[in-house]
Amino acid sequence: MKLAISVSGGGALGIGPLQFMRRLEEDLGSTLAEWGAAYAGTSTGSIVAAGLCTGMSAAKLYDLYKENLSAIFTKVSAARIVTNNYYRYDNSKLKKLLQNNFRDQMYTFKKPIYIPATFMNGESVEKVWDRGDGATNQWFAILSSCSAPTYFDTVSRNKDGKKEIYCDGGMWANDPIMVLESGLNKVKEFKGNYKILSFNTGMARPNSAPKDKSIVGWGKYILDEWIARTGNSGYYEACANIGAENVYRVAPHVSDKYAMDDLSLVDEVSNIWDDYYNAVKKDVLKFVKSTVSAKK
């Protein structure tokens, strides 16, 4: 069995899965870049997935996050809220960070990788960047997946004389577990021969009905609550398709909501995932070790 790793979106909350991963790597004695045979990631998860796919350790990715979060979440002028193109954060520093760390093109990834984005001006909104996208820059695919509405501006490029506009893959696949499964079903050596380790970056928490049921209130509720929960159905489908024993869902349970852009909570979130690793260590190690390390 091969190990495939899926990481959902969640902004700065991505520090949590990385803390879990680096603890896991310490106990495995090798990196998830070495154990993993395929990856999928949406939004902040696309940075993690791409990093692992290029050979980075979770420890290196953790440090990369911690050192750059304040730069990534650089607020724009408050005056932008009244414009017809509102977003909270300037994506230029995120773009530079990605360009510095993911300089190659999609076809150079040595293992299967799937990065969902949302195609804003095409016949279909669903776009999954993979190795078949050839000369597309890795950084562009990742940046497009990270462009969460109201948080960051959309990204665009000109291709064959047409302007293509993209935003966050979380709009339709915040948790890319089914994107990963669908992609691997087309790869001969993976058919019936893989397990999925799935990281729910937003964590698991109770649902509550919206207090504000105006059109604005419903919009905020859907964006903040339900888009983030799209992975739940994907998890159930994956269990049904490849067997529950072949899917391990990593998601600490919390009672409160953690905002994806509240940097004051980074250490607290990291500690939550650290405690969670202690609780499930035995089971997750058994699951990963039941697969064959890709380096072998």
Side-chain angles (χ1 to χ4, degrees):
M1 284 285 192
K2 299 176 184 292
L3 178 66
I5 298 173
S6 169
V7 190
S8 71
L13 300 180
I15 200 75
L18 286 171
Q19 172 61 16
F20 187 103
M21 288 181 188
R22 69 176 185 168
R23 289 284 311 278
L24 177 57
E25 288 183 343
E26 289 173 0
D27 288 331
L28 287 170
S30 52
T31 67
L32 290 174
E34 295 171 315
W35 277 91
Y39 305 90
T42 300
S43 198
T44 194
S46 70
I47 303 175
V48 178
L52 296 176
C53 199
T54 57
M56 294 184 192
S57 67
K60 181 176 180 178
L61 283 163
Y62 182 95
D63 291 340
L64 191 70
Y65 259 71
K66 200 95 185 263
E67 293 167 5
N68 290 281
L69 277 176
S70 59
I72 291 171
F73 288 95
T74 300
K75 286 190 175 181
V76 299
S77 168
R80 179 162 287 280
I81 196 170
V82 296
T83 72
N84 61 0
N85 185 28
Y86 169 69
Y87 49 87
R88 299 179 211 177
Y89 303 103
D90 178 1
N91 70 1
S92 61
K93 292 182 180 179
L94 173 59
K95 180 179 179 179
K96 184 176 181 180
L97 177 68
L98 296 177
Q99 287 176 328
N100 288 339
N101 287 276
F102 302 99
R103 301 178 181 178
D104 293 330
Q105 297 169 322
M106 290 299 295
Y107 77 89
T108 64
F109 279 118
K110 293 181 171 59
K111 300 175 184 178
I113 184 168
Y114 307 95
I115 300 175
T118 302
F119 192 11
M120 302 290 288
N121 59 332
E123 292 183 3
S124 173
V125 299
E126 296 87 359
K127 171 60 186 174
V128 178
W129 303 103
D130 60 23
R131 293 185 295 177
D133 282 294
T136 295
N137 292 314
Q138 294 174 357
W139 68 261
F140 181 85
I142 299 167
L143 183 63
S144 70
S145 188
C146 290
S147 301
T150 75
Y151 291 94
F152 294 104
D153 196 6
T154 57
V155 298
S156 61
R157 69 174 183 177
N158 290 311
K159 184 179 180 182
D160 300 327
K162 180 181 178 181
K163 185 177 182 179
E164 297 179 342
I165 304 172
Y166 297 93
C167 75
D168 199 310
M171 297 298 291
W172 66 277
N174 191 58
D175 187 323
I177 187 170
M178 288 307 296
V179 171
L180 176 60
E181 185 192 343
S182 298
L184 293 182
N185 282 341
K186 300 176 182 178
V187 183
K188 184 177 180 180
E189 61 266 32
F190 280 87
K191 288 186 177 180
N193 186 36
Y194 66 94
K195 294 187 175 185
I196 297 177
L197 182 62
S198 171
F199 289 86
N200 180 6
T201 303
M203 301 180 281
R205 58 185 172 80
N207 182 40
S208 58
K211 295 179 180 179
D212 178 3
K213 295 183 180 180
S214 67
I215 188 169
V216 174
W218 272 112
K220 187 176 187 303
Y221 176 73
I222 291 170
L223 183 64
D224 292 346
E225 298 286 340
W226 285 101
I227 287 179
R229 295 174 186 270
T230 57
N232 291 346
S233 59
Y235 167 70
Y236 293 127
E237 289 180 58
C239 288
N241 292 341
I242 66 174
E245 71 279 6
N246 293 321
V247 184
Y248 194 104
R249 181 78 154 167
V250 183
H253 284 73
V254 293
S255 57
D256 298 320
K257 177 183 176 182
Y258 287 79
M260 63 173 276
D261 58 342
D262 188 344
L263 304 191
S264 70
L265 300 175
V266 167
D267 289 336
E268 181 179 342
V269 169
S270 184
N271 290 335
I272 288 172
W273 282 81
D274 194 65
D275 291 340
Y276 179 63
Y277 180 78
N278 291 333
V280 301
K281 171 181 173 180
K282 181 178 178 181
D283 290 338
V284 73
L285 279 170
K286 181 180 179 181
F287 181 84
V288 173
K289 289 180 177 180
S290 70
T291 66
V292 179
S293 172
K295 69 176 181 178
K296 300 176 182 177

